[in-house]
């Protein structure tokens, strides 16, 4: 990696789904193997090469085959986040979501006059974002606070 700075374009193997959500909330463009139908190592490596993404994995064979990778050893997401922080990743919540936590699509702010689904607060009451790919709505609720607390404890 140039200047020992981690890439902001990542691809995570099938073992790291929960970590993908955290990284997306931190502003990383994070492709996830199961979202991309890329369980096989060759498919994941092809995505990494084609899209210029850094491979993050717990699989030492996969890490060795990738042109650039980070090999994680921990199973729990909190410990995986610590490993990434130690590797130089900036792990704090983005001021505004940029990527969907579900599918990694881009998000846009919902206009206060637009209706929101039943599960989301009204955009006239608080800021709400919507994924332009899957339609999922996001806001800075209890999950946001929980992730923020986890990241602050690293």
């Amino acid at each position: 990696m140039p200047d020992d700075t981690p890439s902001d374009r990542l691809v995570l193997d099938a073992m790291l789904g929960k970590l993908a959500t955290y990284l997306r909330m931190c502003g990383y463009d994070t492709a996830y193997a199961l979202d991309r139908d890329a369980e096989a190592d060759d498919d994941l490596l092809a995505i990494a090469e084609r899209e210029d993404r850094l491979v993050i994995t717990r699989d030492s064979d996969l890490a060795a085959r990738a042109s650039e990778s980070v090999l994680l050893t921990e199973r729990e997401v909190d410990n995986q986040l610590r490993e990434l922080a130690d590797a130089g990743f900036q792990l704090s919540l983005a001021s505004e979501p940029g990527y969907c936590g579900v599918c990694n699509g881009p998000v846009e702010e919902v206009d206060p006059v637009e209706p929101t689904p039943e599960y989301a607060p009204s955009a006239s009451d608080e800021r709400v974002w919507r994924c332009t790919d899957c339609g999922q709505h996001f806001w800075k609720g209890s999950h946001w606070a929980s992730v923020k607390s986890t990241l602050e404890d690293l």
Side-chain angles (χ1 to χ4, degrees):
M1 293 175 283
D3 302 322
D4 294 327
T5 303
S7 172
D8 62 351
R9 295 179 49 80
L10 312 170
V11 60
L12 278 59
D13 73 19
M15 296 182 275
L16 301 174
K18 191 169 185 180
L19 181 62
T21 301
Y22 276 82
L23 291 171
R24 290 168 179 167
M25 290 179 74
C26 290
Y28 288 93
D29 178 352
T30 307
Y32 172 53
L34 297 183
D35 290 345
R36 302 288 291 274
D37 207 16
E39 251 184 285
D41 289 357
D42 288 343
D43 295 336
L44 192 76
L45 292 169
I47 289 170
E49 183 68 28
R50 183 174 59 248
E51 299 177 15
D52 192 29
R53 292 180 181 274
L54 173 70
V55 173
I56 300 181
T57 182
R58 291 189 56 240
D59 179 337
S60 58
D61 292 335
L62 176 60
R65 291 181 57 204
S67 59
E68 292 187 84
S69 66
V70 173
L71 178 62
L72 301 178
T73 60
E74 299 290 341
R75 289 184 183 271
E76 298 300 320
V77 71
D78 295 10
N79 294 329
Q80 292 168 348
L81 289 164
R82 279 187 194 87
E83 284 184 292
L84 290 175
D86 290 346
F89 284 78
Q90 295 298 313
L91 298 176
S92 59
L93 287 176
S95 59
E96 295 186 9
Y99 299 97
C100 175
V102 175
C103 77
N104 199 48
V107 298
E108 63 185 7
E109 190 165 355
V110 175
D111 189 289
V113 299
E114 287 185 61
T116 55
E118 268 188 40
Y119 67 83
S122 170
S124 64
D125 294 336
E126 68 180 278
R127 294 178 75 190
V128 178
W129 295 267
R130 172 184 47 239
C131 176
T132 61
D133 287 352
C134 74
Q136 180 74 29
H137 285 68
F138 302 91
W139 62 98
K140 293 181 179 180
S142 60
H143 181 63
W144 186 271
S146 173
V147 169
K148 182 177 183 181
S149 174
T150 296
L151 294 172
E152 288 173 346
D153 288 344
L154 295 179

